[in-house]
Amino acid sequence: MTASVSPMKRLYLSLYNFTVLFGWLQVLFLVLKTLKEMGHQNVYSVAQKPLLFAQTAAILEILHGLVGIVRSPISATLPQISSRLFLVWGILWSFPETQTHFLVSSLLISWSITEIIRYSFFGLKEAFSFSPSWLLWLRYSTFLVLYPTGISSEVGLIYIALPFIKASEKYCIRMPNTWNSSFDYFYIAIVALAIYVPGSPHMYSYMLAQRKKALAKAKAA
Amino acid sequence: MKVTVVSRSGREIVKGGIELNDSATVADLQEAIHKQTKKHPSRQRLTLPVQPGSKEKPVVLNYKKSLNDYTSGNSKTLTVTFKDLGPQVSYRTLFFFEYLGPLLLYPVFYYFPVVYQYFGYKGEHVIHPVQTYAMYYWCFHYAKRILETFFVHRFSHATSPLSNVFRNCAYYWTFGCYIAYYVNHPLYTPVSDLQMKIGFGFGILCQVSNFYCHIILRNLRGPAGEGGYQIPRGFLFNIVTCANYTTEIYQWLGFNIATQTIAGYIFLAVAAFIMTNWALAKHRRLKKLFDGKEGRPRYPRRWVILPPFL
């Protein structure tokens, strides 16, 4: 039993990584093609399906961490994936008014390049127990530019969505009700924005530490 | 006896070491370090050095013991590793401030409905009986906690890091306001009279039981907090390792049955999660300590915290 677990796990993780990689490749291709042919207003409508697929599939990464089939800590994975899902479903999908903004293009380009590098790195590592050194370098270096652009786009889009959230009252629960609770999506969005203030530098410094560790290890090897 | 005090990186903290008489205790060493470094003994964590890269936990020096207990053979020298724990506060101070917040903040929402005008509720405010009982229940609970802190609890550790005050206060004060906001809301929907009576009745029973559990735990320790780990016995401790947490969780369940707010249930879930982690750690520790070997008693089979679930 135990002998077959490892190959099965590796096969599953390889399939997972390459499937999601394909999704992100599609996103990048469609974004660049649309920008060239139709302009930024149409980027979201064209890339929506592969984007929703690729980003929602990342929920499995949280499960992988919980079950223990990957080593990455939940504390690092959970906030990152949660914020991405909040943006994809809670902002872009829920409020079509934000979909035509140019920040959608910068967001999707930042995300897709990051994820193409990341998933190809993990995919090769799982499938062939090896990944080229240049890919390792890209994995731990591109974030230096792509994190700031991605995070700025995320913050910008949440901010742009605020008036539409307030006006629509979407996802709001009002009192009175049996469970004596209320929920205001507008304030949730503001809290999400506030979390970015300490969250972004924290994630960035975490990645810098990871970079230092990974590149030092690669150098030693 | 000469004691060399080094940091975890190996740097000498007190230049030239500290000379103490042969019968000196760890407390004497801490006082000497205090004189040299101005770091109060409560901030000091002294351990025996471990080999770099070693996975084993360092031996922490007990302030009551003699330094000779930590030297090898007739050696008149000792090297200790010093770690500054940062500013400390007594546990009594910590608990007092974290419980004072909910005790003072909750009644603000009850007695000053004007608070709700800031949230856009301008209408008539009718106070339901359940809201009054909830306020008394809540205040009784936190007043009880404060009184227990000063007159019942005996602490094994004298102090806690100052940062814990801010963290714990943020937790209790925020949840206090969060729950008070909904329970005292002008648009609050009360539960049935029967449900309210069941909830508060069960809750009060659990609060009294919780107090008795704390009395049992108090009697396991000496006045100075000494006594180490012992098997708690009597009352609910015969069936649950952490009966004090059990009663704490179930009394909040009673409060939530009576008041029925999502905020209250979120608080219950978070508190239960935290206490379950503590209880599992304590249960493991007691089972490991009382293993039935070499004359030690065997830890009896018990629930950990939440009968009939865990």
Side-chain angles (χ1 to χ4, degrees):
Chain A
M1 173 66 190
T2 46
S4 64
V5 167
S6 190
M8 285 300 289
K9 184 183 93 169
R10 283 183 61 182
L11 177 67
Y12 163 70
L13 286 174
S14 304
L15 274 170
Y16 169 76
N17 284 306
F18 286 124
T19 307
V20 183
L21 168 65
F22 176 71
W24 282 112
L25 280 165
Q26 227 180 330
V27 171
L28 184 62
F29 171 73
L30 291 170
V31 168
L32 296 175
K33 184 170 177 276
T34 310
L35 277 173
K36 192 182 172 195
E37 293 171 6
M38 294 186 274
H40 68 80
Q41 295 89 339
N42 302 296
V43 161
Y44 181 82
S45 56
V46 173
Q48 183 187 35
K49 276 187 178 154
L51 169 68
L52 291 175
F53 161 75
Q55 195 52 74
T56 308
I59 292 173
L60 289 170
E61 285 190 42
I62 298 167
L63 291 174
H64 296 163
L66 280 170
V67 175
I69 60 171
V70 295
R71 279 187 312 169
S72 55
I74 297 289
S75 55
T77 318
L78 191 65
Q80 216 169 355
I81 291 168
S82 305
S83 67
R84 294 276 194 95
L85 289 170
F86 172 66
L87 244 116
V88 162
W89 289 104
I91 301 294
L92 291 172
W93 184 80
S94 300
F95 300 95
E97 300 92 337
T98 59
Q99 293 171 7
T100 53
H101 202 278
F102 77 90
L103 282 175
V104 175
S105 307
S106 61
L107 177 82
L108 297 191
I109 290 168
S110 302
W111 280 4
S112 54
I113 294 172
T114 303
E115 300 302 27
I116 286 164
I117 293 164
R118 199 165 71 90
Y119 284 111
S120 52
F121 174 77
F122 286 131
L124 289 170
K125 234 178 159 52
E126 287 298 339
F128 308 110
S129 303
F130 148 86
S131 64
S133 55
W134 57 267
L135 191 58
L136 177 84
W137 186 87
L138 281 174
R139 156 98 176 95
Y140 287 104
S141 301
T142 49
F143 81 89
L144 293 166
V145 176
L146 296 174
Y147 253 45
T149 57
I151 285 169
S152 306
S153 306
E154 288 175 38
V155 169
L157 284 166
I158 297 170
Y159 182 73
I160 287 154
L162 288 177
F164 305 116
I165 294 171
K166 198 175 177 74
S168 72
E169 293 215 341
K170 207 172 195 174
Y171 309 133
C172 288
I173 299 166
R174 299 270 177 249
M175 284 181 79
N177 55 61
T178 327
W179 282 97
N180 294 302
S181 66
S182 61
F183 181 83
D184 199 320
Y185 197 60
F186 177 72
Y187 291 114
I188 294 296
I190 287 172
V191 168
L193 273 178
I195 289 168
Y196 274 94
V197 178
S200 309
H202 174 75
M203 282 305 292
Y204 199 73
S205 56
Y206 170 77
M207 282 304 293
L208 281 171
Q210 290 289 95
R211 178 179 195 265
K212 195 176 175 184
K213 206 159 70 176
L215 296 184
K217 207 182 275 181
K219 208 173 187 180
Chain B
M1 174 181 281
K2 186 177 183 187
V3 183
T4 308
V5 184
V6 295
S7 69
R8 285 184 296 172
S9 62
R11 184 177 57 84
E12 208 172 338
I13 300 287
V14 179
K15 295 279 180 280
I18 295 171
E19 281 291 344
L20 293 165
N21 63 43
D22 291 351
S23 61
T25 63
V26 174
D28 297 329
L29 171 61
Q30 286 184 316
E31 270 308 321
I33 294 170
H34 180 210
K35 283 199 184 89
Q36 298 275 349
T37 64
K38 302 285 182 281
K39 305 283 187 205
H40 191 268
S42 67
R43 290 179 70 143
Q44 300 174 25
R45 182 174 176 267
L46 303 178
T47 58
L48 294 179
V50 289
Q51 294 301 314
S54 166
K55 286 277 185 280
E56 61 183 90
K57 280 189 174 175
V59 176
V60 180
L61 274 59
N62 184 333
Y63 76 100
K64 288 176 193 157
K65 285 191 174 179
S66 165
L67 288 171
N68 289 322
D69 296 344
Y70 297 104
T71 57
S72 47
N74 295 327
S75 174
K76 292 286 174 227
T77 60
L78 177 66
T79 301
V80 297
T81 305
F82 167 89
K83 185 191 176 195
D84 180 9
L85 297 172
Q88 301 284 303
V89 292
S90 76
Y91 267 98
R92 284 200 169 86
T93 306
L94 171 71
F95 287 161
F96 174 71
F97 281 107
E98 69 185 38
Y99 301 149
L100 184 68
L103 181 63
L104 298 180
L105 290 168
Y106 190 104
V108 169
F109 289 85
Y110 178 84
Y111 286 111
F112 304 104
V114 69
V115 167
Y116 292 96
Q117 286 182 18
Y118 294 107
F119 298 102
Y121 297 100
K122 301 269 194 289
E124 188 68 31
H125 190 180
V126 179
I127 294 175
H128 301 282
V130 65
Q131 292 172 309
T132 305
Y133 297 139
M135 197 267 297
Y136 288 138
Y137 182 100
W138 180 279
C139 291
F140 170 74
H141 173 77
Y142 282 102
K144 165 186 166 289
R145 278 195 181 192
I146 288 172
L147 291 169
E148 282 176 338
T149 298
F150 288 108
F151 303 111
V152 178
H153 294 324
R154 285 172 176 169
F155 302 99
S156 55
H157 299 290
T159 62
S160 165
L162 179 65
S163 59
N164 284 2
V165 175
F166 301 105
R167 186 195 65 190
N168 291 19
C169 284
Y171 169 77
Y172 276 104
W173 296 29
T174 307
F175 263 121
C177 292
Y178 182 43
I179 294 166
Y181 173 81
Y182 285 107
V183 177
N184 298 296
H185 200 284
L187 301 176
Y188 175 82
T189 307
V191 296
S192 70
D193 211 41
L194 177 65
Q195 188 175 327
M196 178 189 76
K197 284 172 182 168
I198 290 169
F200 284 137
F202 177 65
I204 288 163
L205 183 71
C206 290
Q207 291 228 46
V208 174
S209 303
N210 180 261
F211 174 70
Y212 188 50
C213 287
H214 286 155
I215 296 293
I216 290 170
L217 289 176
R218 170 197 167 89
N219 294 333
L220 290 178
R221 284 212 175 113
E226 75 279 356
Y229 284 106
Q230 293 179 48
I231 300 175
R233 297 182 196 280
F235 190 45
L236 295 173
F237 285 106
N238 292 336
I239 51 168
V240 193
T241 294
C242 293
N244 50 324
Y245 296 155
T246 308
T247 49
E248 179 71 25
I249 290 167
Y250 284 142
Q251 69 89 16
W252 279 125
L253 179 64
F255 177 84
N256 286 327
I257 288 167
T259 54
Q260 198 161 292
T261 64
I262 294 285
Y265 279 105
I266 291 170
F267 179 57
L268 172 65
V270 174
F273 176 74
I274 293 166
M275 285 188 264
T276 300
N277 284 338
W278 292 343
L280 286 166
K282 186 171 184 181
H283 190 76
R284 273 195 294 268
R285 214 159 38 225
L286 289 169
K287 278 184 82 170
K288 193 177 170 185
L289 206 60
F290 300 105
D291 52 7
K293 293 170 188 167
E294 296 168 17
R296 289 185 293 269
R298 186 171 186 81
Y299 191 72
R301 188 174 159 80
R302 288 174 179 176
W303 295 102
V304 180
I305 181 170
L306 285 178
F309 310 107
L310 181 65

